[in-house]
Amino acid sequence: MVPIYNEIESIPHLLQALSSSLTEAQITYEIICVDDGSSDGSDRLLKSSALDRTDLCAVLLRRNYGQTAAISAGFRYAQGEVIITIDGDLQNDPVDIPMLLHTLEEGEYDLVSGWRRDRQDTKLTRVLPSKIANWLIGQVTGVRLHDYGCSLKAYRSDLVSDLNLYGELHRFLPALAFIEGARITERVVTHHPRRFGHSKYGIDRTFRVVMDLLTISFMRKFLTRPMHVFGLFGLIFLTVGFAISGHLAYVRLVIGEDIGQRPLLILAVVLLLAGLNLFSVGILAEIAMRTYHESQDRPIYRVRQAIGPNRSGL
Ligand code: UDP
Ligand code: MG
């Protein structure tokens, strides 16, 4: 499954490399290329290639939605038991695919992630931020991988159908999968410098990664119980707010001092309002969470396997 955005020069090489590596390893496969609204003619090339070849399915998106959406579309169209994602710019090497597949089957993993140990990108703007990001993601999500950003990954397809992607969450697929209880591991893969075209990302990606990280860390802990976090802070704020108000009321009514000039008054008001707000958001989040699970018939747990008569399809 390949997301493609303006990679016209790479496409022929990519298709060639994919089919030769997979045929050699005697793997039954289908290549799914998702064109993410390219403007360089990649879409036309993919379309004509898909008409020529029997092993290629081209999915053309109407405009550029970003890599996450492209990957998500690819997952939708994939039919195999295992889905491999790979970049369309020839930076990943299709030769590694059989090894990833083997690891997946061998260790009964749900996800095998590539690790670009010898990464061929600019050191300062790409490799360093990615090192920091990887460490952070590891800390926050609890999944220890060296390289979340590597696109070359193998997934069991039933795992993927459980994942919903938003923002730029494709980077966090292992973390999301981990939340869903997946068994994850990583293997070192080859990485090449970009031969054609240019990278679609710059240093600004770091900011988006941090924001997505916040979302993920919240989801991991509180997806099914948002009130536990909002309610707790709401309660603390309200309690402190009431305590200060009580104190001020005492000062004004019993001692008879003027309280209009006191900064504490503002603090009390802010705390009360903020506390009330947090509580309301918590209740709304609870309702939203229920809608999220119930409307899609999403249980709050994930079954790995059920063994017994007629239990497999559940
Ligand atoms: N890509 C995409 N939509 C976008 C940006 C990128 O489908 O909006 C694809 C791109 O064609 C490539 C992959 O995502 O196949 C990774 O992009 P890139 O190589 O630019 O990222 P980098 O390797 O520099 O992290
Ligand atoms: Mg690349």
Side-chain angles (χ1 to χ4, degrees):
M1 211 280 298
V2 200
I4 299 228
Y5 182 48
N6 295 343
E7 311 280 5
I8 191 161
E9 291 122 313
S10 307
I11 293 171
H13 301 277
L14 178 80
L15 294 178
Q16 169 60 34
L18 277 172
S19 53
S20 68
S21 137
L22 292 167
T23 320
E24 205 169 296
Q26 299 186 331
I27 294 166
T28 323
Y29 70 95
E30 181 184 38
I31 306 172
I32 298 177
C33 285
V34 182
D35 175 70
D36 189 15
S38 299
S39 53
D40 67 346
S42 295
D43 49 342
R44 266 169 278 134
L45 177 58
L46 284 175
K47 194 172 163 184
S48 61
S49 313
L51 292 172
D52 283 347
R53 319 168 49 119
T54 51
D55 61 349
L56 174 66
C57 160
V59 180
L60 313 178
L61 301 187
R62 289 191 184 213
R63 64 168 174 85
N64 180 240
Y65 290 92
Q67 198 180 341
T68 301
I71 290 180
S72 193
F75 283 161
R76 266 292 258 291
Y77 279 86
Q79 293 175 329
E81 266 170 49
V82 174
I83 304 175
I84 314 267
T85 51
I86 187 167
D87 271 353
D89 56 0
L90 300 169
Q91 289 198 268
N92 300 130
D93 201 326
V95 171
D96 290 323
I97 293 179
M99 180 270 294
L100 292 181
L101 270 175
H102 190 69
T103 313
L104 195 77
E105 316 256 283
E106 190 93 317
E108 293 193 358
Y109 290 108
D110 299 304
L111 197 171
V112 182
S113 180
W115 169 18
R116 300 164 292 178
R117 189 157 61 184
D118 186 16
R119 193 169 163 187
Q120 305 290 328
D121 280 317
T122 331
K123 288 276 177 300
L124 190 65
T125 55
R126 307 297 303 276
V127 182
L128 185 69
S130 133
K131 280 233 162 83
I132 300 172
N134 282 319
W135 179 79
L136 256 180
I137 298 172
Q139 290 295 317
V140 171
T141 61
V143 205
R144 297 293 147 86
L145 293 182
H146 287 90
D147 187 9
Y148 290 86
C150 182
S151 299
L152 184 54
K153 290 191 175 81
Y155 304 83
R156 237 171 251 290
S157 61
D158 54 347
L159 171 70
V160 163
S161 58
D162 282 344
L163 301 176
N164 287 342
L165 299 179
Y166 301 96
E168 295 210 350
L169 291 186
H170 66 271
R171 221 175 307 287
F172 297 96
L173 271 167
L176 288 170
F178 184 69
I179 296 176
E180 302 282 351
R183 281 185 287 219
I184 302 172
T185 190
E186 66 183 350
R187 287 291 177 274
V188 175
V189 297
T190 333
H191 196 237
H192 303 290
R194 224 179 210 280
R195 269 162 69 192
F196 308 104
H198 52 83
S199 173
K200 312 297 181 297
Y201 300 101
I203 188 92
D204 57 316
R205 168 155 72 181
T206 321
F207 169 75
R208 288 178 275 168
V209 169
V210 172
M211 286 302 128
D212 282 342
L213 193 60
L214 287 177
T215 317
I216 292 277
S217 70
F218 181 84
M219 300 239 300
R220 179 165 112 96
K221 293 206 185 84
F222 301 109
L223 182 63
T224 54
R225 48 187 189 108
M227 199 55 188
H228 286 195
V229 59
F230 289 113
L232 175 70
F233 283 104
L235 203 65
I236 295 176
F237 281 28
L238 282 176
T239 316
V240 179
F242 274 123
I244 299 176
S245 307
H247 166 70
L248 288 176
Y250 174 79
V251 171
R252 177 71 191 89
L253 298 174
V254 180
I255 307 182
E257 274 178 27
D258 194 15
I259 56 165
Q261 297 297 320
R262 296 193 136 193
L264 215 52
L265 183 63
I266 299 173
L267 184 65
V269 172
V270 169
L271 281 176
L272 286 175
L273 286 178
L276 219 56
N277 251 316
L278 282 171
F279 243 100
S280 327
V281 170
I283 291 172
L284 287 179
E286 283 281 335
I287 296 171
M289 180 271 293
R290 273 152 222 228
T291 319
Y292 171 72
H293 284 284
E294 283 162 28
S295 66
Q296 307 177 49
D297 218 0
R298 270 178 90 87
I300 54 171
Y301 53 83
R302 292 274 169 269
V303 177
R304 186 183 309 284
Q305 226 177 1
I307 300 116
N310 304 322
R311 292 295 197 287
S312 56
L314 280 172

